Amino acid sequence: MNNRQLFPFERNRYYAGKMLASMDFRAEQLYMNNKRRFLNSMLYGPGVLCGLGVSALDDLTVLVDGGAALDGGGREIILNGSVARKLSAIDGFETIRGEQAQLRIRYVEEAVHPVFAMGDDGQEESYECNRIREGYQLFLAEGSEERRETPAFLQEAVFLEQEDFRVLISVPKAVCRGRLVRLRVTAVKCSGAEKPLSFEGILQFPAFVTKTGEHELHIDMQDIFLEQGEQYRKDYWIVAQQGRMDTGSILWKRGSGQAFVGEYDVPVREDASLETFFCNLEPEQMALSQTAQESLESVGTKDGKGILLAEIRMFRTEGAYVIASVTDGRRYLAPPARSEERQQYMACFAEPSGREGLGTVSETVQTTENTGRLHLPRMTSGTLEIPLDVNMKRGDICFSEEILHGLGQGEVFVQVGVACLEETDVMGSRVKSTIYGDSDLFREQDHSWVKTAVKVYHEKGSFQVAARLEGEQRSIVLLLNWVAMRFHSGEESRLAGDCSEMSIVPRMPTVRLEAGKSCLIDVLFCRMQPCRLVYELTESGSGRISQDGIYTAPAGEGLYEIHIYCADTPQIDTYAYVIVE
């Protein structure tokens, strides 16, 4: 649909005795359809109204949920039920050359229900389709996630651009005098290389001021870790000064800019600048005037690409493919019919406290959180219990379960002591104590009935305690206190801050479960941000575990091991154990 088909709108004019032909009825339908579609495109634009989610059904097939959307021409696209399609059977698959594709949907219509019809001369016989069915078409397009267009009321200037990162600064094209203005710095990851970005410099703006009344602003972003396609945003709030100036410039102070990608410095575009226009309108009036600037000529010309539903990544070989991931790509519309429901949903969240002040800074990462680094403790402690058999004899040995000390992998020293209650001189009172080392030295307290030893698993970040009965058994449960301390070798100290400092720990290292039952194998992240995990069973026939860590026990009893590691850094791993009864 283009504008020449839309304008000017013409409708039938009825009068007594008018002879109606097929072209008149077509004009009637065209007028009603075009008017509705024009309003749809002006009020909503293209996007998803509801549904149309995409998921991988198996390695070759995607499932598209039923839903509704509007295309750029205001035409309604309705999928009235879920549809499963093999990627290779979707239009456009044969044109995909890379490993990334966009799944899109577009409006189509077809003539259906053929019926017998007389020719114009009343003698020639033929068949004509009696209906036009409005439908949809799923198709694949080459490429990764489309770059979203900059809103018409914003302007951007690129201050750094290279193969791994792109840094740009954006402000409104027109600003209100005496009002706050948001200046946004955005870093975009362009490659899959695992490199951090550090970027800093000074922006100068004679027509604006910061909270402290200065005409300069220090921009600073340090050690930004992003995945390919992610964006890190940092907002600064400044104020447009009152006065007679009609324009205001924002430029980079020469010699102040520096940027590092990984260990290498990269040049900053010090000649980049922005220019804004000043006006006396209120922000609400400014917003109305700026968002209504779109030319009418552009209406109805944005539907050629269809509606993006999902980004699909594949592993491809010659003549074969496997779906690796499906990422949601829908742009949602906000129909007025559901405004009350949206307001009720938003009421579940607290309003931000206070108004953003001058020069305040807020930071966001689009798609994921910024990967900052936490610090592991150098020492941890805890208690553990070892059940003792009532029939134990002198010399018998028993073992504890495997205990995670929480200090991660590497060289860790663990000391275990026997917890005791001792009588005091005060009538009826006792004090708690713990004996570490050789308990024979405290024979007067008679605590030498058991000996302990510790085995530390450096690769697993855990330890196990063995206890041997040395005298008369005094309890059916041996209560022990333990202390773990990390110490670094020279190489580990050199790699401080590297992933060797990070670890993951099961919240419950050992789980008891009935046959056929399920439970979540939950994991704690130490000195690292949460990331995607991979769960694997170390032997066949030991049950099932899903991608999100839901373990289902097998029918047979036994002790089963689960290997858990980070998808991006497999060297960060741990183990959990399930006892099936």
Side-chain angles (χ1 to χ4, degrees):
M1 180 177 66
N2 57 49
N3 289 335
R4 283 177 292 183
Q5 294 175 314
L6 279 174
F7 312 124
F9 291 117
E10 291 184 355
R11 67 179 187 272
N12 267 319
R13 177 180 177 272
Y14 295 101
Y15 54 89
K18 178 174 181 174
M19 298 292 293
L20 295 175
S22 60
M23 61 181 296
D24 296 302
F25 291 105
R26 285 197 296 270
E28 188 79 10
Q29 287 187 337
L30 190 63
Y31 174 79
M32 300 303 295
N33 283 337
N34 283 351
K35 262 301 182 66
R36 186 186 72 252
R37 292 167 180 171
F38 172 72
L39 289 175
N40 283 344
S41 63
M42 292 295 293
L43 294 175
Y44 301 109
V48 174
L49 291 167
C50 67
L52 297 179
V54 181
S55 57
L57 200 58
D58 55 38
D59 290 344
L60 306 177
T61 310
V62 293
L63 178 70
V64 183
D65 299 330
L70 295 175
D71 68 7
R75 298 176 296 190
E76 303 90 351
I77 305 172
I78 310 296
L79 199 161
N80 60 356
S82 298
V83 172
R85 295 279 177 83
K86 288 188 180 296
L87 280 188
S88 57
I90 298 177
D91 291 343
F93 179 83
E94 64 281 354
T95 67
I96 305 299
R97 295 292 177 261
E99 295 188 340
Q100 292 191 111
Q102 296 178 343
L103 178 62
R104 294 177 171 267
I105 190 170
R106 61 185 163 207
Y107 172 89
V108 295
E109 56 184 39
E110 60 176 332
V112 295
H113 302 321
V115 296
F116 177 76
M118 294 293 295
D120 291 339
D121 57 6
Q123 296 180 356
E124 184 178 351
E125 299 178 354
S126 63
Y127 284 88
E128 292 286 349
C129 289
N130 199 37
R131 298 282 189 273
I132 294 178
R133 178 178 294 162
E134 298 181 342
Y136 67 92
Q137 180 189 30
L138 295 171
F139 67 100
L140 293 171
E142 186 81 46
S144 59
E145 183 177 355
E146 60 183 5
R147 184 181 170 188
R148 300 194 183 276
E149 298 179 0
T150 303
F153 58 86
L154 286 180
Q155 57 179 327
E156 295 177 342
V158 178
F159 285 79
L160 181 147
E161 188 165 24
Q162 48 99 237
E163 60 182 6
D164 297 309
F165 283 94
R166 186 168 177 264
V167 177
L168 51 93
I169 295 177
S170 62
V171 293
K173 293 178 180 177
V175 300
C176 306
R177 290 187 176 95
R179 294 288 190 149
L180 284 171
V181 179
R182 186 191 71 192
L183 186 149
R184 169 167 289 178
V185 183
T186 304
V188 183
K189 185 66 180 298
C190 304
S191 72
E194 296 182 358
K195 300 177 182 178
L197 167 70
S198 295
F199 177 87
E200 67 174 323
I202 297 176
L203 285 179
Q204 296 178 316
F205 32 72
F208 298 87
V209 292
T210 64
K211 177 178 61 175
T212 57
E214 299 176 351
H215 297 284
E216 292 185 345
L217 182 66
H218 182 218
I219 304 298
D220 185 25
M221 299 190 301
Q222 299 296 326
D223 293 331
I224 306 301
F225 287 85
L226 298 174
E227 299 292 335
Q228 184 173 5
E230 286 184 346
Q231 296 184 8
Y232 174 90
R233 298 184 303 214
K234 195 168 186 176
D235 292 343
Y236 298 85
W237 293 89
I238 55 180
V239 68
Q241 284 188 294
Q242 298 279 10
R244 294 184 178 181
M245 72 285 289
D246 295 323
T247 62
S249 297
I250 299 174
L251 61 155
W252 201 254
K253 185 176 182 179
R254 293 194 174 275
S256 68
Q258 59 178 349
F260 293 88
V261 175
E263 300 178 353
Y264 301 96
D265 61 329
V266 294
V268 177
R269 292 184 177 178
E270 294 190 336
D271 57 342
S273 63
L274 296 162
E275 187 172 10
T276 62
F277 295 91
F278 285 68
C279 70
N280 294 319
L281 296 176
E282 291 297 312
E284 294 79 6
Q285 295 173 303
M286 176 71 74
L288 283 174
S289 64
Q290 291 295 318
T291 54
Q293 293 297 320
E294 184 179 17
S295 171
L296 189 61
E297 295 178 356
S298 64
V299 176
T301 61
K302 302 176 181 177
D303 59 324
K305 294 183 178 180
I307 303 299
L308 176 64
L309 299 184
E311 298 276 347
I312 299 176
R313 182 181 291 273
M314 301 174 284
F315 294 129
R316 303 191 69 177
T317 60
E318 187 175 354
Y321 70 93
V322 173
I323 297 175
S325 64
V326 177
T327 305
D328 190 4
R330 291 171 289 178
R331 172 186 178 270
Y332 292 98
L333 302 178
R338 306 190 68 180
S339 61
E340 183 178 352
E341 184 178 349
R342 289 194 299 273
Q343 290 173 2
Q344 292 175 352
Y345 182 80
M346 290 301 297
C348 298
F349 303 93
E351 284 286 330
S353 59
R355 194 177 75 139
E356 297 261 22
L358 296 182
T360 57
V361 181
S362 59
E363 304 178 48
T364 59
V365 180
Q366 186 176 351
T367 309
T368 72
E369 294 292 332
N370 187 29
T371 55
R373 301 188 186 277
L374 304 177
H375 296 283
L376 274 174
R378 297 295 302 272
M379 179 182 296
T380 57
S381 61
T383 61
L384 65 94
E385 296 179 351
I386 302 179
L388 303 177
D389 193 320
V390 295
N391 297 319
M392 285 185 68
K393 299 178 181 178
R394 184 186 180 92
D396 288 349
I397 301 174
C398 57
F399 300 91
S400 72
E401 296 179 343
E402 192 172 331
I403 308 297
L404 290 162
H405 49 63
L407 297 179
Q409 299 174 339
E411 297 292 329
V412 173
F413 171 76
V414 180
Q415 176 72 48
V416 174
V418 181
C420 311
L421 281 177
E422 299 182 12
E423 298 284 351
T424 66
D425 296 335
V426 181
M427 183 178 300
S429 65
R430 294 185 176 186
V431 294
K432 295 181 179 179
S433 64
T434 303
I435 297 181
Y436 294 95
D438 191 352
S439 59
D440 288 343
L441 301 179
F442 293 91
R443 283 190 176 275
E444 63 273 14
Q445 280 90 22
D446 198 16
H447 295 319
S448 59
W449 63 279
V450 66
K451 297 281 188 180
T452 59
V454 182
K455 183 178 182 180
V456 179
Y457 300 96
H458 299 301
E459 298 299 323
K460 294 183 179 182
S462 59
F463 66 93
Q464 189 177 26
V465 178
R468 183 175 64 195
L469 191 63
E470 293 290 319
E472 181 183 353
Q473 183 176 342
R474 302 189 183 280
S475 173
I476 60 173
V477 175
L478 178 60
L479 181 62
L480 302 174
N481 292 328
W482 59 268
V483 177
M485 292 175 288
R486 165 177 289 279
F487 55 92
H488 296 292
S489 63
E491 179 66 13
E492 286 179 323
S493 298
R494 187 183 68 82
L495 295 175
D498 195 77
C499 64
S500 60
E501 297 286 337
M502 307 175 187
S503 66
I504 54 177
V505 180
R507 193 178 295 273
M508 295 183 62
T510 304
V511 179
R512 294 182 180 272
L513 204 61
E514 294 182 8
K517 299 295 184 180
S518 300
C519 71
L520 171 65
I521 306 298
D522 200 6
V523 173
L524 299 174
F525 294 87
C526 300
R527 202 175 182 181
M528 63 185 297
Q529 289 289 334
C531 63
R532 186 168 64 89
L533 298 173
V534 177
Y535 297 81
E536 291 181 348
L537 300 174
T538 58
E539 58 181 287
S540 60
S542 56
R544 303 189 312 274
I545 191 160
S546 65
Q547 295 180 352
D548 53 358
I550 303 297
Y551 175 79
T552 303
E557 295 183 348
L559 175 65
Y560 302 104
E561 185 180 59
I562 303 169
H563 184 206
I564 310 168
Y565 60 89
C566 298
D568 296 330
T569 50
Q571 64 269 28
I572 302 177
D573 65 344
T574 188
Y575 291 84
Y577 299 89
V578 180
I579 300 174
V580 178
E581 300 173 336

